[in-house]
Structures are given as structure tokens and as C-alpha cells.
Amino acid sequence: MSTNGKVNSEVGSLKVKIGLAQMLKGGVIMDVVTPEQAVIAETAGAVAVMALERVPADIRADGGVARMSDPGMIREIIASVSIPVMAKARIGHFVEAQILEAIGVDYIDESEVLTPADEEHHIYKHNFKVPFVCGCRNLGEALRRIGEGAAMIRTKGEAGTGDVVEAVRHARTVFGEIRRLQLMPDEELMTFAKQIGAPYALVKETKELGRLPVVNFAAGGIATPADAALMMQIGVDGVFVGSGIFKSGDPALRARAIVQATTHYNNPEILAKISENLGEPMVGISAKSLPDNEQLAVRGW
Amino acid sequence: MAQEHAQNLPIPQSQIYNQKLSMKIGVLALQGAFIEHISILRRLGAEAVEVRLPLDLVGLDGLIIPGGESTTIGKLAVMYDLMEPLQTFAQTKPLWGTCAGMIFMAKDIGMDQPLLGVMDIAVERNAFGRQVDSFEIDLDIPAFHNNGQAKGTSLYHAIFIRAPKLVAVRGNAAVIATLPDGTAVAARQGTMLVTSFHPELTDDTRFHQYFLEMVAETAKERG
């Protein structure tokens, strides 16, 4: 562990990594592809932006290999806003992560939306000072990522579809498994850890806390204020909105509405008001209609 | 690692103290780490509630503005007509801002974003760098020299995350904590308190107790 020359001081500790995610709670993290979009997101009240070259809907449409974005373009976005900037590295591509850390990105998303660089291993995230967020579809996957050093989790959903069904499935799966774990006597924990392929210590800690040991956002398919509020009521700490904003008819208006919906998620009168006259949502594709080889959520091991 | 995680999260129900204090504290819940503040307040025996709309301020003895993104909190406060009610609240009741809350309470931050402007301080946002520069450090807090002696130390372990710093403390406002290099990171002005760092992310409850004492004093003066 490094120090910054101050007394009893530590930089980039697990606590400050998890702590930044705690500061993002109750907020919306928006995908942006230009500095102009980043400013629109910040003006709408986003808590952070995800800088990338193509939103997931375009990655889907274009096909081919999706990689880390141009560092020059990420730097321009960093320079254009005062809120934290996140960027995506391919699963297992620790050199892309080193590059993103070097340019001062605030959070790295080791993301299934990009084409995986390693089909067996994820990045060893404890080696970095920059914190990581990783996707999951269930409790075992979440705790494996936390074991590797992820300081924040997002349920994956199915990115670039505008269909919230997979986000709901993954969040319900994680919360359902935690509820089951809380009722489990201690002698059953080791076998449960073995069954879900998760580190025992983290299974035990999750039981004691009654929640994941790090902040848990929802992602993948959120396209409306009602979608965001749905995920918040199901129990996530905040939401990522990828294609849902800048693939819609009026991005600034929709972004502002989704920010408000994430704060006032429990107030149907406010939700009704902010959902009015938002213009066209992103067109979307039903997650069910996707052939197996076009599903992104299954990437991750 | 397990313990390091646990300190960051809501305190299990079993650890909540049984004592009750007769004060009701609001935590601004527009965005950010409001649940962490509420957990500590409840653990200390205070009643704690989430504040999202002006009506939620009624009947409160004090208010905490948590860490989060100051731009987001400011914009939501404007959209839901909270600016004036919060400024009025600050005139008579104790108010404490941590990190984003400190920025929001400042008169001057040198950037264009909604501010309550209730405290005579100038603040610089992200003053220590980006997230990779976020740090934790032990601070010597003079106000705690007579408290917390049971632990045999007054050192306070402070968590700084993309933190702001105080660049000017004017009028009746006074610095109450500095880094070893002299940088001002906490201040008090009458019934207002600000900290650059996050007492809501630690198990050390001294700053929350300090604030609750401010609330108790203010209530006593009001009679």
C-alpha cells in the first residue's frame, strides 16, 4: 500500500474505492460518447458519466470487436465535466485498465459490453488504485468479482436493448439469494459458498450485512423514468443508463427525468409528472428475441 | 478484508443502542450517502428521517447534507423548491454538510452551480485531485481533546474522497480541523458545521456526537 507522504495516510485504499461508490448512490450514471453529451448529462444531474466511443445499442448494431475507447477522447470528456468519469475495459484486459488508470479515470467498468479479452479470468483489481465496477447476474458472480477487488457491482441486465426485463431478473436473483442466505443456519454457508462458487468469507459477510458488501447499481435496458424507479424499488442503490438517454428523442429532457425518478422513486405523483411529454424513448429490441451469440450478459466467469 | 468492508455499510440492527434522545434529525436524501448518516444517528439514539421535499423539514431539530455529487444535489434542490426553505432552516437550526454538503453550504466555490451560500467559506472542489488521489489519514481535532479519552487518543481517522478543501474561512466561521500541511478541512460558524471528509463512512461517531451536542445546545437556547 502506498502513502502520499502524510502521516498515517493511505491513497487508493479499498475504503476510498468503495466510498466513492457510496457517494454515487441514489444517482444516475450515463453513457456519453462526446464532451457535448457529457455536459448535457452533468447539466441534467448525472452523478457520473461513462465515457465510450459507441453506446451499447451501436456496438450491437455494428458488430465486430468492441475495445477500450481512445484515451484521447476519454481525456476530452474528463476535461469537460466536474463529475466523476468512468470508462470501460474489456473483461480480463488488465493493460487497458492500466491505461485508463494512467489517464485519471475515476472508475473502471470491466464490462461484458466490450468483447472479452480473457474467457477464463477477470482482472485482479486489488492491484489498482483506481476502483472497479463489475457486472453480475447472480450472487456468486457478484462475490467472485468483489473477491477479485471490485469496489462496486452492477447487475448486468441486457445492455443496448432498452428492455428492462433482464435487469429485473438479475436484481431479483441477487436479492433473492441474499434473502435466502439470511435465513440459512451457519453450518450451511460453506456448502452454499461452494454451490454458488463464491468466497466463503464474503458469503458470511453478506449474510451478516443482509446486502452485498459493496454498492450495487442496476444496468442494462433502463430506458424510462419508470424503469429507473422500478429498479430502485426492487432495492438497487442507483442506476446506469446506457443507450436509453442519447438514443431517445430528447436526451436532455429524458436525462433530467430519469435523475428525478431515481431520487423520488417512491413517489408515484412525482413519477407521473416527470414521465409526461418526454418524446420518443429509444426504439429497443426485446431481449428475448436475441439469438444466444448476441447476448452480452452471459460474458463473465 | 471482511472487516474493512463491514465498516463501510449500514450497522446491523443488533448493534443499535437502546438509549433514546429526544431529537429529530433530517438527512437530505436527494442523492448520496444519506443512509450511512441515518444509521449512525439512530445508533446514537436520535430519530433520523430522509428529507426530499420542503414539507419534510417540518419539526426537525437539525439537518445533515451528506456526501454525494454536489452538482446533482444542487440541481435537485432547485427543481423541488428546497433552496429557500433550507436557507431559512439554517438561520435557526443546526446544519452540517459533509463533502458535497460543505460545497453546497459555501458562499463561494469559483464554479457555476446551485449553492445555498449560507456559510462564510470559500471552497475548492476536487482540491486533492481525481479518485486515484483519494486518501484516508489520521487528524488531530482540538475539539475532541476532552472527548473520547477512553480510547486514549484524540486522533480522528478521516476519509477523503475526491474531496474539497476550505480555501477561505471568513467572518464568524472558524477552522476546526487541518491536515498536517495546514490545509483547512473542517469549520464551524455558530450552528453550522462543515467537513471535507466523511464521518459517515467510519465507525467513529465523535463528529455525529459533536453535531448532536450542537443541536441540543440550540434547542436549549430556544427554550
Side-chain angles (χ1 to χ4, degrees), chain A residues 4 6-20 22-27 42-43 45-47 78 82-85 101 104 106 126 129-131 146 202 205 209 211 213-214 256 259-260 263-265 267 270 274, chain B residues 1-2 4-10 12 29-33 35-36 52-53 67-69 71-72 75-76 79-80 111 113 125-126 128 130-138 155 157 159-162 179-181 198 200-202:
Chain A
N4 62 353
K6 297 187 183 102
V7 199
N8 279 330
S9 172
E10 194 186 328
V11 176
S13 60
L14 190 54
K15 186 156 219 150
V16 300
K17 290 176 174 178
I18 295 172
L20 177 56
Q22 287 176 276
M23 297 309 136
L24 301 175
K25 286 194 301 180
E42 183 177 46
T43 306
V47 289
I78 288 175
S82 68
I83 55 178
V85 176
E101 181 175 57
D106 295 299
H126 285 296
K129 279 199 294 181
V130 63
I146 296 168
L202 291 174
E205 191 186 347
L209 293 169
R211 56 158 295 148
V214 301
R256 231 168 86 105
V259 167
Q260 294 174 69
T263 293
H264 296 287
Y265 65 92
N267 189 326
I270 290 181
I274 58 182
Chain B
M1 187 173 73
E4 202 171 347
H5 280 141
Q7 287 171 9
N8 277 298
L9 284 138
L30 296 174
Q31 187 274 320
I35 292 159
E36 288 80 349
R52 288 189 177 80
L53 296 169
E69 277 307 312
T71 50
T72 305
K75 282 165 211 300
L76 285 162
M79 285 183 216
Y80 288 87
M111 290 173 90
Q113 66 184 66
R125 284 186 59 197
N126 302 331
F128 300 94
R130 304 195 63 81
Q131 172 60 16
V132 289
D133 306 302
S134 291
F135 61 100
E136 34 188 306
I137 189 170
D138 284 339
L155 284 183
H157 195 67
I159 315 290
F160 291 80
I161 296 171
R162 284 174 47 97
L179 291 175
D181 69 2
H198 294 282
E200 73 273 26
L201 297 189
T202 66

Side-chain angles (χ1 to χ4, degrees), chain A:
Chain A
M1 295 287 175
S2 60
T3 69
N4 62 353
K6 297 187 183 102
V7 199
N8 279 330
S9 172
E10 194 186 328
V11 176
S13 60
L14 190 54
K15 186 156 219 150
V16 300
K17 290 176 174 178
I18 295 172
L20 177 56
Q22 287 176 276
M23 297 309 136
L24 301 175
K25 286 194 301 180
V28 184
I29 300 167
M30 302 181 191
D31 278 4
V32 298
V33 301
T34 62
E36 293 72 31
Q37 288 188 354
V39 171
I40 291 171
E42 183 177 46
T43 306
V47 289
V49 290
M50 177 76 69
L52 67 179
E53 275 169 352
R54 292 177 292 172
V55 295
D58 289 333
I59 291 175
R60 254 180 211 295
D62 297 353
V65 177
R67 309 179 179 89
M68 174 187 79
S69 297
D70 180 339
M73 165 269 185
I74 297 170
R75 270 186 215 273
E76 282 175 33
I77 288 176
I78 288 175
S80 68
V81 291
S82 68
I83 55 178
V85 176
M86 301 184 166
K88 290 182 194 291
R90 282 180 267 177
I91 289 174
H93 205 315
F94 52 87
V95 175
E96 284 188 349
Q98 289 164 3
I99 291 169
L100 293 174
E101 181 175 57
I103 62 174
V105 157
D106 295 299
Y107 240 97
I108 295 176
D109 183 5
E110 187 182 15
S111 179
E112 70 283 358
V113 168
L114 305 184
T115 310
D118 188 325
E119 293 196 335
E120 278 179 69
H121 312 100
H122 283 250
I123 297 170
Y124 186 66
K125 294 165 275 282
H126 285 296
N127 277 347
F128 291 79
K129 279 199 294 181
V130 63
F132 283 75
V133 55
C134 287
C136 79
R137 285 168 297 161
N138 52 50
L139 182 60
E141 197 174 8
L143 296 182
R144 286 194 294 279
R145 298 294 85 80
I146 296 168
E148 294 156 357
M152 179 179 184
I153 289 293
R154 55 174 175 76
T155 46
K156 286 177 180 169
E158 191 57 39
T161 59
D163 184 350
V164 80
V165 67
E166 293 301 308
V168 169
R169 187 193 318 281
H170 299 155
R172 283 211 185 275
T173 302
V174 171
F175 293 131
E177 285 174 304
I178 293 173
R179 283 189 287 266
R180 201 151 66 81
L181 176 60
Q182 281 181 281
L183 297 174
M184 227 173 257
D186 285 344
E187 63 268 24
E188 294 182 6
L189 297 189
M190 184 61 84
T191 301
F192 181 68
K194 180 181 153 194
Q195 283 164 351
I196 66 170
Y200 173 74
L202 291 174
V203 168
K204 198 160 169 285
E205 191 186 347
T206 302
K207 181 191 168 183
E208 280 160 15
L209 293 169
R211 56 158 295 148
L212 286 181
V214 301
V215 166
N216 177 19
F217 272 44
I222 295 159
T224 67
D227 288 348
L230 172 69
M231 299 315 298
M232 292 297 287
Q233 286 197 30
I234 287 174
V236 299
D237 297 315
V239 297
F240 283 86
V241 185
S243 320
I245 289 172
F246 288 98
K247 285 286 168 191
S248 73
D250 189 339
L253 191 62
R254 184 163 295 265
R256 231 168 86 105
I258 293 178
V259 167
Q260 294 174 69
T262 306
T263 293
H264 296 287
Y265 65 92
N266 250 335
N267 189 326
E269 284 81 19
I270 290 181
L271 293 174
K273 210 172 144 201
I274 58 182
S275 299
E276 281 175 17
N277 301 319
L278 290 182
E280 283 299 305
M282 72 178 279
V283 175
I285 22 171
S286 160
K288 259 215 162 75
S289 70
L290 291 174
D292 286 354
N293 64 353
E294 286 182 23
Q295 285 171 15
L296 303 177
V298 296
R299 297 166 168 178
W301 1 101

